[in-house]
Amino acid sequence: TDRARVESALNEKTMHDPEEHVAEGLGQQWVTKEKILTLRDGVWLNDEVITYYLLVLEARNKAAIAGSATATSEVVERMMAADGHPPKCFIFNTFFYSLLTGEGYNYARVKRVTSRKKVDIFQYDKVLVPLNVRKNHWCLAVIHMDEKRLDYYDSCGSDNAACLQALVSYLQDEAQTNNHPFKPQEWTKCFPKSIPRQNNEVDCGVFILMYADYVTRGAQFDFTEADMPALRRKITLDILNGSSSLKGGKSDDSDDSD
């Protein structure tokens, strides 16, 4: 059952080789047995886990946009935004923001990221940017292309004006590179406060993954710190399932489905 798979994955006693791949097949990324153990309760999430799960979310979003036949009508309905369509989302990897802003803002360091992927970010509804603040706290910035707004989600409630300003500068440079009109004064920067918050020092990684989960589905946040144990198991199951995992949100699928 799914519950048994999750329990086995999170059981240190089943680790025969720390470098064993328990999930792979999305891009050039994989998750090892040692790293998936960081999804146990009370453990700081490993970067490898965060990177892979964001790929799962992106694959799920692409499948929803394409109307994947593997998604049940119930799942597709849960993934729809208010206007009846899932938001088209692009997710930068966990290294993008540090490349953009490390040692000061430098567009040249990331200029080729989208061209290598043959991506025009201005054709997306939402662009997600995960960032590791001071290498000890995960946050998520979301560029709402469809609303000309940038949101900064911090499960501890802090603002980061420098981050959003850097992203506006990035949008301006990227627009110039790709011959798109862009007026920075038309964009607003927001720091939502009525969002799920953490009350410990280890769950920020889980929080940004769930922020990303909900944003890519066009859904309203409805989870809390109390849901973290169940959400850690849900993330584990989604990772084990890889790109085939199309379900989202706060559910007990990892406990009850076969």
Side-chain angles (χ1 to χ4, degrees), residues 86-257:
K88 184 179 180 182
C89 299
F90 179 77
I91 306 177
F92 281 109
N93 67 30
T94 54
F95 305 107
F96 170 79
Y97 184 76
S98 59
L99 283 174
L100 178 67
T101 61
E103 300 178 4
Y105 177 86
N106 189 335
Y107 175 69
R109 287 195 291 257
V110 299
K111 184 176 181 179
R112 296 179 59 195
V113 169
T114 53
S115 61
R116 283 198 302 264
K117 292 178 175 287
K118 298 181 179 179
V119 163
D120 180 354
I121 60 172
F122 293 94
Q123 299 303 312
Y124 287 80
D125 300 317
K126 317 284 183 188
V127 176
L128 285 68
V129 184
L131 59 147
N132 195 340
V133 181
R134 295 183 298 276
K135 298 183 179 180
N136 65 6
H137 182 57
W138 286 101
C139 296
L140 180 72
V142 178
I143 305 171
H144 300 275
M145 293 291 195
D146 49 350
E147 301 174 37
K148 294 186 177 180
R149 189 182 83 247
L150 296 92
D151 284 346
Y152 185 81
Y153 297 116
D154 183 339
S155 55
C156 287
S158 296
D159 295 350
N160 191 339
C163 168
L164 297 191
Q165 183 55 52
L167 292 178
V168 170
S169 297
Y170 169 74
L171 291 174
Q172 188 167 14
D173 287 334
E174 187 77 354
Q176 183 175 355
T177 297
N178 294 283
N179 298 314
H180 286 295
F182 185 82
K183 297 180 180 179
Q185 66 271 20
E186 295 179 347
W187 288 71
T188 58
K189 309 181 193 74
C190 300
F191 303 92
K193 300 304 179 185
S194 297
I195 61 174
R197 297 281 191 90
Q198 70 184 99
N199 56 23
N200 60 32
E201 297 180 353
V202 298
D203 280 334
C204 58
V206 183
F207 272 84
I208 73 147
L209 292 182
M210 296 317 299
Y211 294 152
D213 179 344
Y214 280 68
V215 168
T216 56
R217 292 187 292 113
Q220 297 295 314
F221 299 144
D222 67 354
F223 61 94
T224 70
E225 176 70 50
D227 296 311
M228 289 300 109
L231 291 174
R232 283 174 176 266
R233 293 193 297 275
K234 169 194 151 37
I235 292 169
T236 303
L237 181 61
D238 285 352
I239 287 175
L240 294 176
N241 288 340
S243 59
S244 65
S245 56
L246 295 173
K247 293 187 179 180
K250 185 183 71 173
S251 71
D252 295 323
D253 293 335
S254 59
D255 285 344
D256 300 329
S257 57

